[in-house]
Amino acid sequence: MMQIGIDKMGLFTPNTYLDLVMLANARGVDPDKFTIGIGQDQMAIAPLSQDSVTMGVNAALDLLDGENRDNISLLVLGTESGIDQSKAGALYIQRLLGLQNARAFEIKEACYGATAGLMTAYDYVTAHPDQKALVIGSDIARYGLETPGEVTQGAGAVAMLVSAQPRLMVLEPQTTVHSADVQDFWRPNYSKEAFARGKYSTEQYIDFFQKTWADYRNTTDRTIADFKALCFHLPYTKMGLKALRTILPEATEAQQADLLARYQESTLYSRQIGNIYTGSLYLGLMSLLEQSQQLQAGDRIGLFSYGSGAISEFFTAILQPNFETQLAAQKHADLLAKRQQLTMAEYETQFQTELPEDGSAFEIDLTVDPSPVVLTRMKEHERIYEVLTQAVKP
Ligand code: CAA
């Protein structure tokens, strides 16, 4: 049988971050609330030169080689921090990656967007097994200074190459979906910051998880014993843990310990990057795959995607022989280690600095951003992007 799945994954996060103990002190909050109660240590802060387009390109650079380039004919950008109401960010991404003639579009459903892209890619490659799809989740999470959501901000992107006979993981066909019109988190067109009914959103997340999980158990013959690890959408790392704990009693004591240990491994990247919305589930998956020493080919991993508004999907993947060769743990360790820490004043200034909205020309200071692909300036309401590294030019 034809098997479809993820062949390779790429990660990008901007090179500046805020330490959350510092944020706690500045806000008069016990740091343990952030590091233990919320489960976050740092959050990535995007400079003006990074947006959902550039971060998406920077995440996808590592996935492309000569052979892939020719066969990528679907390019989906999942984002809730898009830069335009009409034109898809995927078209800028296509050009900056040196691709052409793909079905390129942008998709929105809060943090579920990349999963919608992944499922679309699965169907597309099933129908066109000689083709590949590039799925990108890229976002900047903004709640505002001195809001309860402030500590759960972040920025980054994940890119996934979907193909037949994938070398990383095969996606299994059975998935379960739950969706309903729920007002837990949203961002009206006129607002740069998201609105969240905080407590309510966490309750909806858990409720949606329990429904998709129960459906999965009822419609397949699988139980929790069939899973080596469970990955969750991670708006902050305590959130997935709360959901996981509700089904842990279904496992033996030994398996409970294993699932909790795998869960911790899946949270290591998010703890340092924060919420990247559409990419967060996949950031957790990358963290698990790159940081765990306990996984083997043939292991089944469960994935829970949640997008406020709301829709959830539970799906599963099987690790492939030599999957380790598709990972880039050292590169991602370097990406995190090379970041610069911001002071509170720098963070607040950065947060409040905006690109012009009146069509005036504006040059962006690029000295703080070593990323290969950047937004360089604004000109007559247009964003001008540049590939700075010659090596990545097609
Ligand atoms: N030491 C240790 N723990 C402490 C503590 C201390 N000194 N003080 C408080 N805590 C614990 C609390 O007990 C609580 O733990 P539990 O949740 O296990 O009970 C935790 O810290 C958080 O405390 P609060 O509930 O009081 O926190 P809050 O009300 O200030 O804010 C939040 C939490 C509602 C999640 C807020 O950060 C928020 O609104 N975030 C944005 C919305 C969000 O992320 N929702 C998640 C579900 S929606 C989704 O998943 C989509 C998405 O990406 C947005």
Side-chain angles (χ1 to χ4, degrees), residues 83-84 92 356-361 378-383:
I83 53 147
D84 196 289
Y92 297 98
E357 297 189 343
D358 60 0
S360 56
M378 294 284 295
K379 190 183 145 213
E380 291 165 12
H381 297 287
E382 285 185 56
R383 285 177 187 238

Side-chain angles (χ1 to χ4, degrees), residues 205 232-237 240 263 266-267 270 274-276 280-281 284:
Y205 177 114
F232 291 79
H233 167 54
L234 296 174
Y236 52 96
T237 70
Y263 179 78
S266 80
T267 61
S270 295
N275 193 357
I276 59 167
S280 291
L281 166 62

Side-chain angles (χ1 to χ4, degrees), residues 29-34 36-38 80 110-111 143 147-152 184-185 196-205 233-236 238-239 242 245 275 277 280 306-308:
V29 170
D30 180 351
D32 286 354
K33 173 173 175 182
F34 288 178
I36 300 166
I38 297 282
E80 51 188 301
C111 306
Y143 292 92
T147 61
E150 183 177 27
V151 62
T152 69
D184 61 331
F185 166 102
R197 294 200 166 101
K199 265 246 145 5
Y200 180 64
S201 70
T202 65
E203 289 160 9
Q204 291 305 311
Y205 177 114
H233 167 54
L234 296 174
Y236 52 96
K238 181 72 160 297
M239 186 71 251
K242 281 166 175 275
R245 278 180 181 154
N275 193 357
Y277 288 160
S280 291
Y306 178 79
S308 288

Side-chain angles (χ1 to χ4, degrees), residues 221-229 255 298-301 318:
D221 55 6
R222 299 202 185 110
T223 69
I224 199 166
D226 293 299
F227 289 91
K228 188 68 192 229
Q255 201 207 355
D299 284 346
R300 175 178 290 111
I301 296 173
I318 306 288

